[in-house]
């Protein structure tokens, strides 16, 4: 099962970690290619390694491969969104329906 492979990778099995990176490389290339800058794939690979290390297998109610794959895919997407928003600075989008609050000064 995939969760067993993740546990082994977390315990330091470098061959297992390399196999996981190989298995999920299409996903990492997909999101890494969308990041601005030339190091997008490396950024997503680092995010994937962090995700693997942060996984707590006991918290999965269902440890079937499909559930774990979905979790990893969503986590990688979330990492992409986080990195994309960090790289874009503090840009804001103005939509016609956005309500802006008046800022009050405190003295």
């Amino acid at each position: 099962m995939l969760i067993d492979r993740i546990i082994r990778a977390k315990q330091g099995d470098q061959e297992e970690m390399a196999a996981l990176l190989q298995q999920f490389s299409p996903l990492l290339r997909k999101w890494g290619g969308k990041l601005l800058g030339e190091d997008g794939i490396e950024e997503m690979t680092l995010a994937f390694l962090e995700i693997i290390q942060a996984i707590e297998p006991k918290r999965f109610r269902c440890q079937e491969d499909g559930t774990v794959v979905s979790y990893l895919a969503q986590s990688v997407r979330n990492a992409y969104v986080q990195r994309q928003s960090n790289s874009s600075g503090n840009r804001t989008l103005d939509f016609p329906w956005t309500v802006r609050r008046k800022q009050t000064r405190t003295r």
Side-chain angles (χ1 to χ4, degrees):
M1 289 181 67
L2 181 58
I3 198 74
D4 296 324
R5 295 175 57 210
I6 290 171
I7 291 168
R8 287 192 299 273
K10 284 181 60 142
Q11 292 171 341
D13 186 336
Q14 294 198 4
E15 289 180 16
E16 197 64 70
M17 184 63 83
L20 288 170
L21 284 169
Q22 180 67 31
Q23 179 180 351
F24 287 92
S25 66
L27 182 69
L28 302 175
R29 284 194 312 269
K30 172 187 175 181
W31 293 110
K34 292 182 180 190
L35 281 176
L36 298 176
E38 58 190 49
D39 296 329
I41 295 171
E42 288 81 9
E43 282 285 323
M44 295 313 300
T45 300
L46 177 61
F48 183 78
L49 294 173
E50 291 170 351
I51 291 164
I52 292 295
Q53 290 302 321
I55 285 179
E56 296 179 29
K58 293 179 182 178
R59 295 193 60 157
F60 282 88
R61 285 186 228 153
C62 177
Q63 295 188 349
E64 296 296 321
D65 286 356
T67 302
V68 178
V69 168
S70 294
Y71 174 84
L72 289 172
Q74 186 63 44
S75 296
V76 169
R77 182 194 172 281
N78 291 345
Y80 160 78
V81 169
Q82 182 181 21
R83 282 162 172 73
Q84 185 67 20
S85 65
N86 289 344
S87 70
S88 64
N90 291 329
R91 292 187 299 184
T92 58
L93 299 175
D94 290 325
F95 296 104
W97 58 84
T98 302
V99 177
R100 293 181 184 250
R101 295 181 187 201
K102 290 183 180 179
Q103 293 183 349
T104 58
R105 289 186 176 168
T106 58
R107 294 181 191 220

